[in-house]
Structures are given as C-alpha cells and as structure tokens.
Amino acid sequence: MIDLRSDTVTAPTPAMRRAMAEAAVGDDVYDEDPTVRSLQERVADLFGHEAGLFTPTGSMANVLAVSLLVEPGQEVLAESRAHILRAELGAHGALAGITSRTWVEERGRLDLDAVRSLHAPDMGPFFVRTAAVSVENTHNFAGGTVVPLADLRALRTWADEVGVAVHVDGARIWNAHVATGTPLAGYGACADALAVCFSKGLGAPIGSMVLGSRELVERARVLRKRMGGGMRQVGVLAAAATYALDHHVERLAEDHEHARLLAEACGTDPDLTETNIVVVDVPDAAAVVAAAAEEGVRVGAVGPQRVRMLTHLDVSRSDVERAAKVLASVLA
Ligand SMILES: Cc1ncc(COP(=O)(O)O)c(C=O)c1O
C-alpha cells in the first residue's frame, strides 16, 4: 500500500530510533530532561522567540497557545477551515471557553480586509472582544497553501495598532520555510505565539511545541500540566524531533516536487500545489478512495466531493510515480 492519507503516517527511521535509544533523559515535569531542554532552546532560537514548551500533540500546542492569548468569553478570528476550529474537536470552546468567527479565503490564506471588518474592539459588557487572530501556515484543508510573509507582516502591524494578538498554527511551517526560503525567524517575528509540529512532514513519531515569550511559555507549562500533558523522561521523544530537525527539513523539497507530480496526474493546476498537500474536487470522494485503495493507493476523503493526498518521508519517487498512474486512471 502507498499511503498518501497523511504525512503523519511515517515510521521513525532506523537512525532516528537509534537517536531515541541513546537520548539523555530526566524528569521533564521538573524541567530536568536535558534533551527536551535543548530542543526547546534550539527551536525557540530558530523562530526568534524567548522560549518553547514540548507538547505531545499539535492540538495541545494550539490550545495552550490560543488560550494564553484569548481569555474565556473572548474570540479568536481564523480562516473558515482552520484546523483549530474544524479538527480539534471543539477544544478551544470546550476546554478554554473561547468563541470564534471566521473569514473565508478560497486558498486558506489571510484576508486582512476581512479580519479588519470582523475585528471587535473591547466595548465593555456588550460585545465579545476579538483578542487574537490565528493563521494556519501552511493551511492543511486548503491544500498546503503558504501564507506569504508580507501578509503576516501586514497582520502584525495592524494587530499592534489595535491591540490584538497573533497566533500561528505552524504544524507545517517547515514546509512553508522550505517552499519559499523564508527564514523561520521571519515567521516567528509576526507571531505572539506559534505551535509547530515534528510529527508531520519531519517524520518524528510524536511531538510539537508552543513558542512565545518566557512569560507565556511558563503559563503554558502550568496549563499543560493541568490538562494532563506533563511528561517525564520524554528526551527519547525530543531526540526524535532533534534528529528530524537535523536530517528531515531540507528534504521536504522532495515531498513538494512529488506533490506536484500527483497534482498533474489528477488534472489539477500544479501551481496550486505549493507544498506537500494535494486536494482534488471529485464527484464522489468515497468512490475515489475505494477505487484507489483497490489499486494499492490510500488517499483520504475530506468532504463528500473532495479527496486529499499528502507526500512524505515514507513515499519514494517510484511510489509517487505508481500512485500518479493509479490516480490518473481512477479519475479519468
Ligand atoms: C494544521 C494543523 N494544525 C494542528 C494539527 C494537530 O496536530 P496533532 O494531530 O498532533 O494534534 C494538525 C494535524 O494534522 C494540522 O494539520
């Protein structure tokens, strides 16, 4: 089976497993795991932030970050298909008491005019106040779209003027960085808090991180523990993430090239495939998923008429060429 359902299906490589086995560890609830500490410092430096906090999942990193920027009863603005609103099972409302409103942008990008018109300033005990804007980079359900740095900078400038915080869901920010050459610190400078994942394209089995000021990250540490996310000797997991940063960032360019091949085979405009995600509109998504599976290719349905496929570390060029043939014939 060639599994294109997600870039989270990768297995740790033998070298990554060795790095995990050899990791120095300590009790991370006491903040004494040296491998976790050095990963947190390294990633915070990469993004130009003061501190980072290792979390088990991207969903936890997002809910910690957003709930430190938005108080219960306030709102976050996000694009209509944002992962934080569509695929985190209501955590931001259910666990953090946050409300939301959305803008719609076909490719999942920021629409600053829409954000401006949605923005609700503090009007005392009458209206919900907008406390943060969340941007997903790259945007998962819109097809791996990159949010341009210039747009993020414009958002930062406006957000500072009106006193709103900026959250970036950077589960796949590594893909945006490799696709555009934008330094990670450039993205970091636009955000008050970011969530980044090591368990997507980077190929680690688990692990994400919240990034922000020292003060924000210390508050995140308390919230993480409250949510049951305090972890002990997780240097073994941070070692996988460290290995991924050393070896699996630049190679994302291959995944992007592979995704373009799939987009072409599916008859979509390859220029719309900026990173490692291809979304295709079809008459019957379930039928396409079943027909491709019969031929040994797994793709996912992300709507009744939309299928999604992702390239990753565990699909080779020859796998992608075979998958392209199968998909071209299924979609013909
Ligand atoms: C854009 C985005 N943000 C956050 C997440 C959440 O990550 P996790 O599955 O580790 O909770 C995902 C997962 O696919 C994602 O695509």
Side-chain angles (χ1 to χ4, degrees):
M1 269 290 179
I2 298 170
D3 197 344
L4 302 175
R5 289 171 304 161
S6 175
D7 51 4
T8 57
V9 300
T10 54
T13 62
M16 183 183 278
R17 285 173 191 259
R18 276 197 296 282
M20 295 170 76
E22 288 162 11
V25 298
D27 189 329
D28 183 50
V29 171
Y30 287 95
D31 199 13
E32 286 174 4
D33 187 302
T35 311
V36 172
R37 287 178 66 106
S38 85
L39 177 70
Q40 288 172 165
E41 280 163 24
R42 175 176 177 181
V43 180
D45 274 357
L46 283 174
F47 286 89
H49 277 232
E50 284 176 2
L53 185 77
F54 194 51
T55 60
T57 63
S59 300
M60 186 182 274
N62 276 333
V63 79
L64 295 181
V66 175
S67 57
L68 290 169
L69 303 176
V70 184
E71 288 173 21
Q74 297 181 337
E75 72 178 2
V76 61
L77 304 179
E79 203 282 327
S80 61
R81 288 154 299 165
H83 197 278
I84 63 163
L85 302 184
R86 300 296 305 137
E88 294 176 11
L89 305 188
H92 299 258
L95 306 178
I98 292 168
T99 66
S100 59
R101 282 183 301 149
T102 58
W103 71 90
V104 180
E105 208 286 330
E106 201 194 340
R107 306 218 36 236
R109 287 178 296 219
L110 177 67
D111 178 343
L112 189 51
D113 288 339
V115 168
R116 277 200 194 97
S117 65
L118 285 167
H119 169 242
D122 189 352
M123 292 177 71
F126 297 101
F127 287 103
V128 172
R129 181 194 155 211
T130 305
V133 177
S134 176
V135 179
E136 190 171 311
N137 194 16
T138 65
H139 195 299
N140 180 345
F141 297 121
T145 316
V146 175
V147 179
L149 183 63
D151 292 3
L152 288 168
R153 285 190 172 144
L155 172 66
R156 177 76 272 165
T157 303
W158 172 82
D160 287 341
E161 278 163 26
V162 299
V164 161
V166 175
H167 164 254
V168 169
D169 177 354
R172 295 184 181 77
I173 201 146
W174 322 101
N175 296 83
H177 159 65
V178 168
T180 61
T182 302
L184 294 168
Y187 291 131
C190 299
D192 296 285
L194 292 100
V196 301
C197 294
F198 309 107
S199 55
K200 312 285 182 302
L202 296 194
I206 180 171
S208 293
M209 196 172 285
V210 184
L211 299 161
S213 66
R214 214 171 297 290
E215 190 258 346
L216 180 134
V217 167
E218 276 322 301
R219 287 164 58 216
R221 184 180 295 282
V222 174
L223 266 189
R224 181 185 69 174
K225 185 71 159 54
R226 185 172 296 144
M227 288 184 181
M231 303 179 287
R232 303 294 176 175
Q233 286 72 20
V234 282
V236 288
L237 306 180
T242 303
Y243 183 90
L245 286 178
D246 289 339
H247 300 278
H248 295 167
V249 176
E250 296 312 320
R251 64 150 305 285
L252 291 171
E254 264 173 59
D255 294 346
H256 300 170
E257 202 184 311
H258 290 166
R260 278 179 72 90
L261 288 180
L262 290 175
E264 273 167 27
C266 294
T268 67
D269 177 356
D271 287 341
L272 297 182
T273 298
E274 297 175 61
T275 57
N276 70 327
I277 306 180
V278 184
V279 288
V280 188
D281 290 324
V282 295
D284 181 350
V288 170
V289 169
E294 288 261 302
E295 300 297 323
V297 177
R298 286 177 131 174
V299 299
V302 287
Q305 298 189 312
R306 180 164 278 201
V307 292
R308 189 188 63 157
M309 51 205 93
L310 287 86
T311 53
H312 52 77
L313 192 58
D314 284 2
V315 287
S316 64
R317 178 70 169 216
S318 63
D319 289 336
V320 168
E321 284 166 359
R322 187 156 84 74
K325 281 197 188 117
V326 166
L327 289 160
S329 96
V330 165
L331 296 173

Short mmCIF file of all heavy atoms in Angstrom, two decimals, residues 6-8 56-62 82-84 87-88 136-141 169-172 195 197 199-200 206-208 277 308 310, ligand 1:
data_model
loop_
_atom_site.label_atom_id
_atom_site.label_comp_id
_atom_site.label_asym_id
_atom_site.label_seq_id
_atom_site.Cartn_x
_atom_site.Cartn_y
_atom_site.Cartn_z
N SER A 6 -1.99 10.91 4.89
CA SER A 6 -1.48 11.97 5.75
C SER A 6 0.04 11.90 5.80
O SER A 6 0.62 10.83 5.54
CB SER A 6 -2.04 11.80 7.17
OG SER A 6 -1.46 12.75 8.03
N ASP A 7 0.66 13.01 6.16
CA ASP A 7 2.12 12.98 6.38
C ASP A 7 2.44 12.59 7.82
O ASP A 7 3.59 12.67 8.25
CB ASP A 7 2.77 14.32 5.99
CG ASP A 7 2.09 15.51 6.65
OD1 ASP A 7 1.15 15.32 7.46
OD2 ASP A 7 2.49 16.65 6.35
N THR A 8 1.42 12.15 8.55
CA THR A 8 1.65 11.67 9.92
C THR A 8 1.83 10.15 9.97
O THR A 8 2.01 9.60 11.06
CB THR A 8 0.46 12.04 10.83
OG1 THR A 8 -0.72 11.47 10.24
CG2 THR A 8 0.28 13.53 10.96
N PRO A 56 2.79 16.86 23.61
CA PRO A 56 2.60 15.61 22.88
C PRO A 56 2.03 15.83 21.48
O PRO A 56 2.39 15.10 20.54
CB PRO A 56 1.61 14.82 23.74
CG PRO A 56 1.21 15.67 24.88
CD PRO A 56 2.03 16.93 24.87
N THR A 57 1.12 16.81 21.33
CA THR A 57 0.45 16.97 20.04
C THR A 57 0.39 18.43 19.60
O THR A 57 0.51 19.35 20.43
CB THR A 57 -1.02 16.47 20.11
OG1 THR A 57 -1.71 17.31 21.06
CG2 THR A 57 -1.11 15.02 20.54
N GLY A 58 0.12 18.59 18.31
CA GLY A 58 -0.11 19.93 17.78
C GLY A 58 -1.40 20.51 18.32
O GLY A 58 -1.50 21.72 18.57
N SER A 59 -2.39 19.66 18.53
CA SER A 59 -3.66 20.15 19.07
C SER A 59 -3.43 20.74 20.46
O SER A 59 -3.99 21.79 20.80
CB SER A 59 -4.69 19.02 19.16
OG SER A 59 -4.94 18.50 17.89
N MET A 60 -2.61 20.06 21.28
CA MET A 60 -2.36 20.61 22.61
C MET A 60 -1.56 21.91 22.52
O MET A 60 -1.85 22.89 23.21
CB MET A 60 -1.66 19.62 23.54
CG MET A 60 -1.55 20.18 24.94
SD MET A 60 -0.69 19.13 26.11
CE MET A 60 -2.01 18.07 26.66
N ALA A 61 -0.57 21.94 21.63
CA ALA A 61 0.22 23.17 21.47
C ALA A 61 -0.69 24.32 21.05
O ALA A 61 -0.58 25.44 21.56
CB ALA A 61 1.33 22.95 20.44
N ASN A 62 -1.64 24.05 20.14
CA ASN A 62 -2.56 25.11 19.71
C ASN A 62 -3.47 25.57 20.83
O ASN A 62 -3.66 26.77 21.03
CB ASN A 62 -3.43 24.62 18.54
CG ASN A 62 -2.73 24.76 17.20
OD1 ASN A 62 -1.88 25.64 17.03
ND2 ASN A 62 -3.09 23.92 16.24
N ALA A 82 -9.89 26.43 9.34
CA ALA A 82 -8.70 26.31 10.19
C ALA A 82 -8.75 25.03 11.02
O ALA A 82 -9.81 24.67 11.56
CB ALA A 82 -8.63 27.51 11.13
N HIS A 83 -7.61 24.37 11.14
CA HIS A 83 -7.54 23.15 11.94
C HIS A 83 -8.01 23.41 13.37
O HIS A 83 -8.72 22.59 13.95
CB HIS A 83 -6.10 22.62 11.92
CG HIS A 83 -6.00 21.20 12.37
ND1 HIS A 83 -5.97 20.84 13.69
CD2 HIS A 83 -5.93 20.05 11.66
CE1 HIS A 83 -5.88 19.52 13.79
NE2 HIS A 83 -5.86 19.01 12.57
N ILE A 84 -7.65 24.58 13.93
CA ILE A 84 -8.04 24.82 15.34
C ILE A 84 -9.55 24.81 15.51
O ILE A 84 -10.04 24.49 16.59
CB ILE A 84 -7.45 26.14 15.93
CG1 ILE A 84 -7.97 27.38 15.20
CG2 ILE A 84 -5.94 26.11 15.99
CD1 ILE A 84 -7.74 28.67 16.01
N ALA A 87 -10.88 20.76 13.36
CA ALA A 87 -10.35 19.40 13.57
C ALA A 87 -9.75 19.18 14.95
O ALA A 87 -9.05 18.20 15.16
CB ALA A 87 -9.31 19.09 12.47
N GLU A 88 -10.02 20.10 15.86
CA GLU A 88 -9.52 19.88 17.22
C GLU A 88 -10.70 19.61 18.16
O GLU A 88 -10.61 19.80 19.37
CB GLU A 88 -8.58 21.03 17.65
CG GLU A 88 -7.34 20.97 16.76
CD GLU A 88 -6.30 22.05 16.91
OE1 GLU A 88 -6.36 22.84 17.87
OE2 GLU A 88 -5.42 22.10 16.03
N GLU A 136 -3.08 29.82 9.79
CA GLU A 136 -2.52 28.46 9.64
C GLU A 136 -1.55 28.45 8.46
O GLU A 136 -1.93 28.78 7.34
CB GLU A 136 -3.68 27.50 9.38
CG GLU A 136 -3.30 26.04 9.44
CD GLU A 136 -4.54 25.16 9.39
OE1 GLU A 136 -5.51 25.41 10.16
OE2 GLU A 136 -4.56 24.23 8.57
N ASN A 137 -0.30 28.08 8.74
CA ASN A 137 0.74 28.18 7.71
C ASN A 137 1.66 26.96 7.81
O ASN A 137 2.41 26.85 8.77
CB ASN A 137 1.56 29.46 7.96
CG ASN A 137 2.43 29.83 6.78
OD1 ASN A 137 2.25 29.33 5.68
ND2 ASN A 137 3.39 30.71 7.03
N THR A 138 1.57 26.01 6.85
CA THR A 138 0.69 26.02 5.70
C THR A 138 -0.72 25.59 6.09
O THR A 138 -0.91 25.01 7.15
CB THR A 138 1.21 25.03 4.62
OG1 THR A 138 1.13 23.68 5.15
CG2 THR A 138 2.66 25.30 4.27
N HIS A 139 -1.67 25.89 5.21
CA HIS A 139 -3.07 25.59 5.52
C HIS A 139 -3.40 24.18 5.05
O HIS A 139 -3.35 23.88 3.87
CB HIS A 139 -3.95 26.62 4.83
CG HIS A 139 -5.36 26.64 5.35
ND1 HIS A 139 -6.19 25.55 5.27
CD2 HIS A 139 -6.07 27.61 5.98
CE1 HIS A 139 -7.37 25.86 5.81
NE2 HIS A 139 -7.32 27.11 6.25
N ASN A 140 -3.75 23.36 6.02
CA ASN A 140 -3.97 21.94 5.73
C ASN A 140 -5.13 21.70 4.76
O ASN A 140 -4.93 21.25 3.63
CB ASN A 140 -4.19 21.21 7.08
CG ASN A 140 -4.43 19.72 6.94
OD1 ASN A 140 -4.71 19.23 5.86
ND2 ASN A 140 -4.35 19.01 8.04
N PHE A 141 -6.35 22.03 5.19
CA PHE A 141 -7.50 21.62 4.38
C PHE A 141 -7.65 22.42 3.08
O PHE A 141 -8.39 22.00 2.19
CB PHE A 141 -8.79 21.68 5.22
CG PHE A 141 -8.75 20.72 6.37
CD1 PHE A 141 -8.86 21.16 7.68
CD2 PHE A 141 -8.52 19.36 6.16
CE1 PHE A 141 -8.79 20.27 8.75
CE2 PHE A 141 -8.43 18.46 7.22
CZ PHE A 141 -8.57 18.92 8.52
N ASP A 169 -0.67 28.75 13.64
CA ASP A 169 -0.66 27.29 13.68
C ASP A 169 0.34 26.86 12.61
O ASP A 169 0.02 26.80 11.43
CB ASP A 169 -2.07 26.75 13.40
CG ASP A 169 -2.09 25.22 13.35
OD1 ASP A 169 -1.01 24.59 13.43
OD2 ASP A 169 -3.19 24.65 13.22
N GLY A 170 1.54 26.59 13.09
CA GLY A 170 2.63 26.24 12.16
C GLY A 170 2.94 24.76 12.20
O GLY A 170 4.10 24.37 12.17
N ALA A 171 1.89 23.94 12.22
CA ALA A 171 2.11 22.48 12.21
C ALA A 171 3.05 22.11 11.06
O ALA A 171 3.91 21.23 11.21
CB ALA A 171 0.78 21.76 12.07
N ARG A 172 2.87 22.80 9.92
CA ARG A 172 3.72 22.52 8.74
C ARG A 172 4.49 23.77 8.31
O ARG A 172 4.71 24.00 7.13
CB ARG A 172 2.86 21.99 7.58
CG ARG A 172 2.23 20.66 7.88
CD ARG A 172 1.47 20.07 6.71
NE ARG A 172 0.89 18.80 7.08
CZ ARG A 172 -0.22 18.67 7.84
NH1 ARG A 172 -0.88 19.75 8.24
NH2 ARG A 172 -0.68 17.48 8.17
N ALA A 195 2.49 27.40 17.27
CA ALA A 195 2.55 25.98 17.55
C ALA A 195 3.23 25.34 16.34
O ALA A 195 2.88 25.66 15.20
CB ALA A 195 1.14 25.42 17.70
N CYS A 197 4.93 21.49 14.71
CA CYS A 197 4.89 20.03 14.90
C CYS A 197 6.13 19.36 14.30
O CYS A 197 6.59 19.74 13.23
CB CYS A 197 3.67 19.44 14.21
SG CYS A 197 2.10 19.96 14.91
N SER A 199 5.85 15.96 14.08
CA SER A 199 5.26 14.65 13.75
C SER A 199 4.53 14.64 12.42
O SER A 199 3.86 13.68 12.09
CB SER A 199 4.27 14.29 14.86
OG SER A 199 3.32 15.34 15.00
N LYS A 200 4.67 15.72 11.63
CA LYS A 200 4.05 15.75 10.30
C LYS A 200 5.17 15.45 9.29
O LYS A 200 5.79 14.40 9.38
CB LYS A 200 3.37 17.10 10.05
CG LYS A 200 2.48 17.58 11.19
CD LYS A 200 1.18 16.82 11.24
CE LYS A 200 0.22 17.25 12.32
NZ LYS A 200 0.64 17.22 13.71
N ILE A 206 6.07 11.61 17.31
CA ILE A 206 5.24 12.40 18.22
C ILE A 206 5.99 13.70 18.51
O ILE A 206 7.21 13.75 18.37
CB ILE A 206 5.00 11.61 19.54
CG1 ILE A 206 4.14 12.39 20.54
CG2 ILE A 206 6.30 11.19 20.20
CD1 ILE A 206 3.70 11.55 21.76
N GLY A 207 5.25 14.71 18.91
CA GLY A 207 5.92 15.91 19.42
C GLY A 207 5.60 17.18 18.68
O GLY A 207 5.61 17.23 17.45
N SER A 208 5.29 18.21 19.48
CA SER A 208 5.01 19.54 18.95
C SER A 208 5.58 20.53 19.94
O SER A 208 6.13 20.13 20.98
CB SER A 208 3.49 19.74 18.81
OG SER A 208 2.99 18.87 17.81
N ILE A 277 0.70 18.96 -0.01
CA ILE A 277 -0.71 18.53 0.09
C ILE A 277 -1.41 18.81 -1.23
O ILE A 277 -1.29 19.90 -1.79
CB ILE A 277 -1.44 19.28 1.23
CG1 ILE A 277 -0.66 19.12 2.55
CG2 ILE A 277 -2.86 18.77 1.37
CD1 ILE A 277 -1.29 19.81 3.75
N ARG A 308 -7.98 14.20 -0.55
CA ARG A 308 -6.73 14.84 -0.17
C ARG A 308 -5.63 13.81 -0.14
O ARG A 308 -5.86 12.65 0.26
CB ARG A 308 -6.90 15.47 1.21
CG ARG A 308 -5.75 16.36 1.64
CD ARG A 308 -5.91 16.78 3.09
NE ARG A 308 -5.85 15.61 3.96
CZ ARG A 308 -5.53 15.64 5.26
NH1 ARG A 308 -5.27 16.80 5.85
NH2 ARG A 308 -5.49 14.55 5.97
N LEU A 310 -1.24 13.44 0.68
CA LEU A 310 -0.04 14.13 1.17
C LEU A 310 1.19 13.27 0.87
O LEU A 310 1.16 12.05 1.04
CB LEU A 310 -0.11 14.35 2.69
CG LEU A 310 -1.09 15.42 3.17
CD1 LEU A 310 -2.48 14.85 3.36
CD2 LEU A 310 -0.59 16.03 4.47
C1 LIG B 1 -2.62 22.50 10.56
C2 LIG B 1 -2.66 21.53 11.70
N1 LIG B 1 -2.61 22.02 12.94
C3 LIG B 1 -2.63 21.21 14.01
C4 LIG B 1 -2.68 19.84 13.86
C5 LIG B 1 -2.77 18.98 15.10
O1 LIG B 1 -1.73 18.11 15.28
P1 LIG B 1 -1.93 16.78 16.16
O2 LIG B 1 -2.53 15.77 15.26
O3 LIG B 1 -0.52 16.46 16.58
O4 LIG B 1 -2.80 17.11 17.31
C6 LIG B 1 -2.72 19.28 12.58
C7 LIG B 1 -2.78 17.82 12.39
O5 LIG B 1 -2.80 17.32 11.30
C8 LIG B 1 -2.71 20.17 11.46
O6 LIG B 1 -2.78 19.70 10.21
#
